[in-house]
Amino acid sequence: MTDPRISLISPTGALGMGFLDESLERGISLKPDVIACDAGSTDSGPFYLGSGTPKMSRRAILQDLRRLLLARDRLKVPLIIGSCGTSGVDSAVDWMRELTLEIAKEEGLSFKLGRIYAEQNPTLMAEAFKSGKIDPLPGAPEIAEQTILNCSHIVAMMGHEPIVHLLEKQCDVILCGRASDTALFSALPLMRGFIPGPVWHCAKTIECGAICSSITRADGVYAEIDENGFSVEPLALDASCTPLSLASHTLYENADPFLIREPSGTLDTQNANYHALSERKTRVEGSVFRPERYTLKLEGAALSGFQTVAIGGVRDPYILARIDSWLAEMKVFFEERLQELTGKTLGKEVRLDISQYGRNAVMGSLEPLAHEMPHEIGLLFTITAPEQALANDVARFVTHAASHWPIPEWQGFISGIAFPFSPPEIDRGPSYRFTLNHVLIPETPLSAFRFAEEQAG
Amino acid sequence: MRNSVPLGKLAQLIRSKNAGPFRITFDIVFENEEDFVRVVSAKVLTKEWISGTYKIPQDTLIFVEIPAARAIKFSFPRPRIQGDLGETDMYSGQQYAPLLDLQIC
């Protein structure tokens, strides 16, 4: 190792969320060895992987990507973008490549562009499952070959090794499919021989950008790693990274705050100590990384149906007093009507959920105040069917019948639901579910991924 | 003996969030050492209390006190996989409300 230190910037927690120009400018002035930024997550739910659609708009991605490509060009250091297009499917990497080439052309930039594809063929994965190459994680749902074959998309979350592979080939900009957020930041330091404990802990700390600092707006941080530990400071001068803010960040979105599994092993931050170097900058030492069997986390999503929803409210105290039985009675009618109109069975091909907002709609089975009554209740009707047209047909008779469903307190035809829209039915499109909580045991850290290189500009 | 205070008034941050699509995690963070120690030593925010309040089995619960972060954290499996039909809270962001009224002496 020639240089005893390596420095990184994490310009924002998620590409497309934005950051301050002056923060990036300050980051550039600190002369980092690498810029890395995550662009994906499963956090927004199964739709993005299931459909392969990005969560962030093209406009938002272009704005951030342009600024990072220009910064990279000034610094002549690698720029690594992880989990392109939210899910990291192949088409999302292609989409990001188009945006990158478009910016390169407009700005007259020239660089070597590398791509890493992380999508897995369901047929090959089903074979891997049959031959024992796919293991469940604790609490994973029971799966069969068909579960895997039903997935619209499956991705494997890459470790740092595929990124190192392209860094060694002198790629300036690397667009990754699904990648561990931390791998983006640990790739260059590990390639240069820095000790894994501080490297992975640093990567974990900075992967969400300035979320590990005192501010909650989208912005960046700067980090330095040496052989004993690492230090972090926010790019914005009005923010600070304190021992508390860094230690707290290990809590965020992790079930276990001390043990974080990566493809090549586990980061243990139990004995990490944090001390302030200044008001804005904190140093961390003592984290260790334990190598384990090499595994790649798989993410898969499958279509669960097409949905139509309707929103309405109930204010009549007589209806509210008997709302559960009122809804149960109409469900019996919906079941009969569905059968006679379509030959389908409610609860089988077609599903109806009615949530009562104001009463247990948010916490469901976890709600300790399940029996408290509000003075009005918002109803959300959700119909799920194998086709959109069927879901819409069902929703139309559901909303009509529900709004006139009688109660014994009133004689005559009532209108019991306040609908804000005409028509009350809204087609929501396809709905997906996550199907895998499993790991793939690959032949090598690179074998599950495909690579491409080209000259841009 | 001092008056009891609801946890919602003592904590600087109470939040819930997905920890991946299969688990939900709760963070309770305190502004100072005194408040953190007060809640830890009151021994009312326990595995037993969480299991009773959220109606989940104790053996699926991870519960940790983290002095370096002045925080208490617990996690358990989501009632359903994130986004499965019938989902009520895609990000698990609004599942912490029952913690606010827990009385700390």
Side-chain angles (χ1 to χ4, degrees):
Chain A
M1 202 155 50
T2 45
D3 193 339
R5 274 185 330 175
I6 186 166
S7 59
L8 312 85
I9 62 172
S10 170
T12 183
L15 189 74
M17 283 288 289
F19 47 84
L20 299 176
D21 279 328
E22 53 266 40
S23 294
L24 181 63
E25 205 49 53
R26 190 158 168 273
I28 295 169
S29 75
L30 294 168
K31 304 215 180 319
D33 295 295
V34 56
I35 306 173
C37 187
D38 174 46
S41 170
T42 58
D43 196 42
S44 301
F47 174 79
Y48 305 96
L49 176 60
S51 64
T53 321
K55 178 179 160 74
M56 300 286 177
S57 67
R58 178 187 161 86
R59 183 191 303 263
I61 295 288
L62 273 177
Q63 191 180 64
D64 283 3
L65 188 59
R66 183 183 309 273
R67 292 188 285 167
L68 296 184
L69 285 167
L70 288 168
R72 189 223 79 79
D73 187 63
R74 283 165 65 192
L75 290 162
K76 303 286 186 248
V77 298
L79 168 65
I80 302 165
I81 306 285
S83 302
C84 286
T86 311
S87 62
V89 297
D90 288 358
S91 62
V93 176
D94 291 338
W95 179 68
M96 197 73 94
R97 169 180 176 257
E98 277 170 40
L99 302 188
T100 305
L101 294 177
E102 185 181 317
I103 294 168
K105 199 172 167 197
E106 285 170 6
E107 303 290 346
L109 303 177
S110 166
F111 49 83
K112 189 172 176 188
L113 175 63
R115 284 169 278 148
I116 310 173
Y117 291 96
E119 196 158 344
Q120 307 298 316
N121 180 315
T123 310
L124 296 180
M125 285 297 104
E127 278 166 23
F129 178 67
K130 262 197 298 189
S131 55
K133 295 278 196 290
I134 291 180
D135 278 356
L137 289 168
E142 195 69 31
I143 61 162
E145 256 179 271
Q146 197 56 43
T147 318
I148 298 176
L149 292 170
N150 286 347
C151 289
S152 53
H153 294 285
I154 300 173
V155 289
M157 193 187 278
M158 71 184 77
H160 64 284
E161 299 87 346
I163 302 168
V164 169
H165 179 68
L166 288 191
L167 286 171
E168 281 171 347
K169 294 187 163 209
Q170 272 81 47
C171 283
D172 302 306
V173 177
I174 301 175
L175 303 176
C176 309
R178 188 62 170 131
S180 164
D181 299 353
T182 41
L184 314 173
F185 300 93
S186 57
L188 189 70
L190 291 174
M191 178 177 133
R192 297 225 179 131
F194 286 86
I195 299 162
V199 168
W200 285 107
H201 193 184
C202 178
K204 177 64 208 159
T205 305
I206 66 175
E207 50 112 346
C208 286
I211 291 183
C212 66
S213 77
S214 58
I215 51 162
T216 49
R217 69 168 182 258
D219 207 41
V221 290
Y222 169 83
E224 281 175 1
I225 303 172
D226 57 40
E227 50 193 10
N228 295 314
F230 66 97
S231 62
V232 187
E233 65 176 294
L235 294 178
L237 289 169
D238 63 342
S240 53
C241 284
T242 64
L244 189 72
S245 76
L246 294 195
S248 303
H249 184 64
T250 60
L251 307 179
Y252 191 63
E253 290 180 344
N254 281 323
D256 187 310
F258 300 124
L259 300 176
I260 294 145
R261 184 69 162 97
E262 295 294 339
S264 53
T266 297
L267 166 67
D268 183 348
T269 67
Q270 185 95 45
N271 295 317
N273 56 72
Y274 303 80
H275 67 268
L277 294 178
S278 74
E279 270 181 19
R280 301 183 56 256
K281 189 170 183 173
T282 287
R283 184 170 169 81
V284 185
E285 292 179 1
S287 8
V288 290
F289 188 81
R290 280 190 295 272
E292 282 173 67
R293 183 177 71 155
Y294 201 92
T295 58
L296 293 172
K297 195 164 187 299
L298 293 175
E299 292 169 349
L303 186 72
S304 54
F306 291 83
Q307 296 187 318
T308 299
V309 295
I311 300 162
V314 175
R315 181 64 179 80
D316 179 338
Y318 291 136
I319 301 180
L320 292 176
R322 56 167 67 246
I323 188 140
D324 288 331
S325 59
W326 189 64
L327 295 172
E329 282 165 26
M330 58 177 97
K331 265 193 174 170
V332 174
F333 169 78
F334 298 151
E335 212 167 324
E336 293 165 1
R337 183 74 184 128
L338 179 71
Q339 189 62 243
E340 113 199 342
L341 191 67
T342 68
K344 311 266 193 246
T345 307
L346 197 64
K348 214 170 141 202
E349 300 99 324
V350 177
R351 178 179 163 131
L352 168 66
D353 294 279
I354 309 176
S355 320
Q356 301 179 29
Y357 277 88
R359 190 171 168 243
N360 316 333
V362 173
M363 294 191 60
S365 64
L366 299 180
E367 178 58 74
L369 303 179
H371 299 291
E372 287 198 8
M373 285 302 291
H375 70 274
E376 72 175 32
I377 288 177
L379 295 177
L380 172 67
F381 296 83
T382 306
I383 291 100
T384 311
E387 296 100 35
Q388 186 69 67
L390 179 60
N392 189 282
D393 286 356
V394 176
R396 284 201 251 178
F397 74 70
V398 163
T399 51
H400 183 79
S403 66
H404 300 301
W405 198 261
I407 54 164
E409 285 83 353
W410 301 124
Q411 312 301 312
F413 201 61
I414 67 165
S415 199
I417 300 175
F419 286 113
F421 307 122
S422 166
E425 305 85 17
I426 306 160
D427 286 348
R428 244 189 42 72
S431 175
Y432 295 88
R433 62 194 156 79
F434 285 123
T435 50
L436 302 175
N437 189 13
H438 293 71
V439 290
L440 172 71
I441 302 136
E443 275 169 38
T444 73
L446 303 189
S447 57
F449 305 99
R450 283 147 290 126
F451 301 87
E453 298 158 58
E454 67 193 303
Q455 184 60 38
Chain B
M1 179 153 165
R2 57 187 162 183
N3 291 334
S4 70
V5 181
L7 185 62
K9 295 259 188 250
L10 272 180
Q12 143 184 303
L13 172 67
I14 300 182
R15 71 181 167 202
S16 57
K17 191 76 172 53
N18 295 330
F22 305 95
R23 296 184 73 85
I24 173 169
T25 191
F26 296 74
D27 300 333
I28 303 115
V29 186
F30 299 92
E31 198 179 349
N32 56 56
E33 191 70 23
E34 188 193 346
D35 291 342
F36 172 69
V37 171
R38 179 174 177 182
V39 173
V40 168
S41 51
K43 291 190 175 19
V44 288
L45 180 57
T46 58
K47 277 185 129 174
E48 291 72 21
W49 183 85
I50 295 159
S51 152
T53 303
Y54 287 97
K55 302 178 283 287
I56 47 123
Q58 265 192 52
D59 59 3
T60 62
L61 189 63
I62 298 175
F63 179 89
V64 265
E65 289 154 355
I66 310 140
R70 290 201 295 263
I72 298 171
K73 182 177 187 69
F74 62 90
S75 310
F76 54 79
R78 283 176 122 266
R80 62 174 63 69
I81 296 172
Q82 181 196 12
D84 271 6
L85 297 177
E87 178 61 79
T88 66
D89 187 356
M90 195 60 74
Y91 296 83
S92 295
Q94 280 294 301
Q95 304 301 311
Y96 59 84
L99 293 164
L100 269 67
D101 294 330
L102 180 64
Q103 294 297 317
I104 308 295
C105 38

